[in-house]
């Protein structure tokens, strides 16, 4: 389905990304972004080139979601036993935990209670206590209804976190994976500056803004390489220089 460019840009401008980061990520100057956000200028008044840069950023953010992985870690109270699991969404993470550990980690009662809560049901009606759901016969009738609201991804996260399983301590980390670029092409490249880390699945950033910044920087390097520009002639670790130079081509 074809995207509405204006609506996508407006959604981006209404996001919680601050104007400074939005400027760095998109390549559009900060004053322009600030004027639109505070209402002193209209989106329709900016150049097509700037609008296109903002729209391209929305495209990158959409792609970013496809490269997102949630890493879950659980530990016993004494820390002697540890479990791990990965999935793109919390719903899939819940299912992965069942596949790997059956019900040692997640609690099916907690899932049922969450479904009741989301659908506005009276928990006492189902004999819900701290031990779980008491009236399973009535709950089964409830689950067979066709008008039930679906749980959100955050709901599944709550179910995992609140489960009374073996994993007393739980940690959730969101990682954004990307293709590693040719770091040898840039002298003294410092991965710490971009909060980059590597695991068995490849390079990742734990912050979505860092991920987008890396993608933009990576594209700049590729553009310079395609145009046979001597990247190593630029100042060490001056990342903006690479991007500024790339935008000339």
């Amino acid at each position: 389905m074809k995207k509405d460019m204006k609506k996508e840009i407006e959604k981006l401008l209404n996001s919680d990304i601050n104007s400074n980061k939005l400027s760095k990520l998109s390549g559009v100057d900060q004053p322009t972004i600030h004027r639109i956000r505070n209402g002193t200028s209209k989106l329709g008044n900016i150049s097509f080139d700037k609008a296109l840069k903002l729209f391209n950023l929305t495209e990158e953010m959409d792609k970013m979601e496809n490269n997102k992985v949630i890493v879950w870690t659980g530990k016993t109270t004494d820390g002697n036993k540890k479990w791990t699991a990965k999935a793109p969404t919390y719903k899939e993470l819940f299912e992965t935990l069942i596949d790997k550990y059956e019900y040692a980690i997640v609690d099916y009662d907690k899932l049922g209670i969450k479904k009741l809560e989301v659908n506005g049901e009276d928990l006492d009606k189902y004999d819900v206590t701290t031990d779980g759901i008491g009236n399973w016969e009535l709950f089964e009738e409830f689950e067979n209804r066709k008008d039930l609201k679906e749980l959100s991804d955050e709901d599944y996260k709550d179910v995992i976190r609140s489960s009374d399983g073996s994993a007393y301590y739980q940690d959730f980390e969101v990682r954004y994976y990307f293709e590693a670029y040719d770091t040898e092409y840039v002298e003294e490249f410092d991965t710490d500056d971009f909060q980059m880390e590597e695991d068995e699945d490849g390079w990742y950033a734990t912050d979505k803004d860092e991920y987008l910044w890396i993608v933009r920087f990576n594209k700049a390097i590729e553009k310079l390489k395609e145009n046979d520009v001597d990247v190593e002639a630029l100042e060490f670790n001056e990342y903006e220089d690479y991007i500024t130079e790339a935008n000339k081509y």
Side-chain angles (χ1 to χ4, degrees):
M1 185 173 66
K2 191 173 182 180
K3 290 185 178 180
D4 186 314
M5 185 176 184
K6 185 172 182 290
K7 285 183 180 179
E8 291 297 317
I9 295 174
E10 286 175 343
K11 186 168 69 174
L12 176 66
L13 292 171
N14 289 327
S15 71
D16 57 0
I17 304 176
N18 68 52
S19 296
N20 181 49
K21 284 186 177 180
L22 199 53
S23 175
K24 286 184 176 181
L25 295 172
S26 66
V28 175
D29 60 283
Q30 189 175 341
T32 294
I33 294 171
H34 183 68
R35 285 194 297 270
I36 298 172
R37 280 183 153 177
N38 66 21
T40 57
S41 182
K42 293 182 179 180
L43 179 57
N45 293 336
I46 68 173
S47 68
F48 178 75
D49 178 61
K50 290 181 179 180
L52 186 59
K53 286 180 179 179
L54 290 169
F55 181 69
N56 287 340
L57 178 57
T58 69
E59 296 275 271
E60 289 299 336
M61 292 182 74
D62 286 344
K63 291 177 185 176
M64 175 187 73
E65 289 303 307
N66 294 327
N67 293 324
K68 182 179 79 173
V69 172
I70 300 160
V71 181
W72 173 89
T73 305
K75 295 179 182 178
T76 51
T77 51
D78 57 12
N80 288 332
K81 195 164 185 179
K82 180 179 177 181
W83 301 269
T84 61
K86 289 183 180 181
T89 66
Y90 288 105
K91 180 180 180 180
E92 290 172 276
L93 180 61
F94 178 84
E95 294 166 351
T96 299
L97 287 170
I98 292 176
D99 289 341
K100 288 186 72 174
Y101 307 115
E102 295 184 337
Y103 289 99
I105 305 298
V106 292
D107 187 341
Y108 189 73
D109 276 53
K110 294 292 184 181
L111 178 63
I113 293 169
K114 177 61 73 173
K115 288 180 179 179
L116 292 170
E117 290 174 342
V118 167
N119 284 276
E121 292 290 305
D122 181 1
L123 300 186
D124 290 337
K125 180 180 173 183
Y126 297 86
D127 298 334
V128 174
T129 65
T130 53
D131 292 327
I133 299 172
N135 193 335
W136 277 97
E137 184 178 345
L138 185 61
F139 178 75
E140 286 175 4
E141 291 179 15
F142 159 79
E143 281 206 300
N144 288 328
R145 280 168 39 185
K146 295 181 179 179
D147 62 339
L148 295 182
K149 293 180 181 177
E150 294 288 333
L151 298 189
S152 69
D153 213 41
E154 284 299 312
D155 288 331
Y156 278 98
K157 181 180 181 181
D158 289 342
V159 171
I160 298 169
R161 191 189 295 276
S162 63
S163 288
D164 300 320
S166 301
Y168 187 81
Y169 297 108
Q170 297 187 50
D171 181 62
F172 299 88
E173 179 188 16
V174 178
R175 297 178 181 177
Y176 297 92
Y177 286 88
F178 56 92
E179 291 184 16
Y181 38 74
D182 186 3
T183 53
E184 293 180 1
Y185 195 67
V186 183
E187 287 190 20
E188 295 190 8
F189 188 85
D190 190 352
T191 55
D192 290 338
D193 285 358
F194 289 104
Q195 298 178 22
M196 291 168 57
E197 293 185 41
E198 188 178 20
D199 65 11
E200 68 277 6
D201 294 322
W203 284 98
Y204 68 89
T206 55
D207 185 278
K208 64 180 180 181
D209 293 333
E210 293 295 336
Y211 173 92
L212 289 167
W213 176 253
I214 291 165
V215 169
R216 183 167 172 251
F217 182 59
N218 187 26
K219 286 186 174 181
I221 294 175
E222 290 304 312
K223 190 179 286 189
L224 291 170
K225 289 171 71 174
E226 287 172 8
N227 289 277
D228 200 28
V229 178
D230 185 8
V231 178
E232 295 181 359
L234 299 172
E235 293 182 37
F236 298 156
N237 294 329
E238 292 293 333
Y239 310 120
E240 277 288 356
D241 286 354
Y242 299 117
I243 295 169
T244 300
E245 189 68 23
N247 286 334
K248 295 177 182 177
Y249 297 89

